[in-house]
Amino acid sequence: MSTEQGDEYWMRHALRLAGRAEAEGEVPVGAVLVLGDRVIGEGWNRSIGHNDPTAHAEIMALRQGGTALGNYRLVDTTLYVTLEPCVMCAGAMIHGRVGRLVFGARDEKTGAAGSLCDILRHPGMNHLMDITSGILAQECSSRLSAFFRDRREQHKARRQALKTPPFADC
């Protein structure tokens, strides 16, 4: 399997995990941490359900990976994530010495791998990693766009319902 085929394979796995997040009412982001050809960690956004601002997909996958290896250093691993990591997740990846990041959609608002800022390639960091972006970007982006569009429509419907006076139908 070529690197590109392997990247698409694992990104599809991350997309399935994003579906789990969405089913739980979370922002649909999924992540899978791979060492060689085996999964050592996976995660999906769970911040809302866990009442935990650190429960991002990447953090969940990194935690599992550390447990699987018995070490917080995740050398030679590849993290696949459907959305460009935020600053918190980028920092955790640096501290964990992740070898490679592969992500799908860019995040212009909070992305820390080149969109908003580039923590992962900052020359002052004690660890740098290889980065591949845009793998299945359209699928990753479409899932997120649909989620937020649906959420806006739900909020609009709730606001509209609150504006309707009681017994307006009578």
Side-chain angles (χ1 to χ4, degrees):
M1 183 179 329
S2 73
T3 300
E4 186 175 323
Q5 289 172 323
D7 287 349
E8 287 187 12
Y9 173 84
W10 292 117
M11 189 60 71
R12 289 194 192 288
H13 185 96
L15 278 163
R16 286 190 295 277
L17 296 170
R20 292 180 77 171
E22 188 169 15
E24 293 176 12
E26 303 275 354
V27 176
V29 177
V32 58
L33 186 64
V34 176
L35 179 62
D37 63 352
R38 70 181 179 107
V39 173
I40 62 167
E42 55 184 28
W44 55 94
N45 277 0
R46 303 187 88 183
S47 295
I48 297 167
H50 286 194
N51 299 311
D52 179 357
T54 70
H56 289 195
E58 301 95 321
I59 300 297
M60 304 302 273
L62 295 173
R63 287 176 181 160
Q64 280 188 10
T67 299
L69 296 179
N71 193 334
Y72 79 96
R73 290 184 184 248
L74 305 168
V75 178
D76 297 326
T77 60
T78 299
L79 181 66
Y80 293 87
V81 61
T82 56
L83 182 65
E84 179 180 358
C86 69
V87 171
M88 174 185 68
C89 294
M93 292 166 51
I94 290 167
H95 287 293
R97 310 295 195 274
V98 170
R100 181 171 177 243
L101 166 67
V102 179
F103 69 89
R106 288 209 166 272
D107 185 348
E108 300 299 326
K109 292 182 180 178
T110 64
S115 291
L116 175 67
C117 60
D118 200 348
I119 300 296
L120 297 173
R121 291 188 193 112
H122 190 282
M125 291 295 160
N126 63 342
H127 174 72
L128 299 175
M129 67 193 70
D130 292 330
I131 301 171
T132 302
S133 62
I135 302 297
L136 301 180
Q138 186 59 46
E139 291 176 51
C140 295
S141 181
S142 294
R143 179 179 289 263
L144 287 157
S145 294
F147 174 82
F148 285 113
R149 182 180 54 251
D150 291 348
R151 183 165 275 189
R152 283 190 301 273
E153 289 173 7
Q154 290 169 0
H155 285 297
K156 183 178 178 182
R158 273 190 232 118
R159 282 193 308 271
Q160 194 63 29
L162 291 174
K163 289 181 183 177
T164 304
F167 309 109
D169 298 349
C170 297

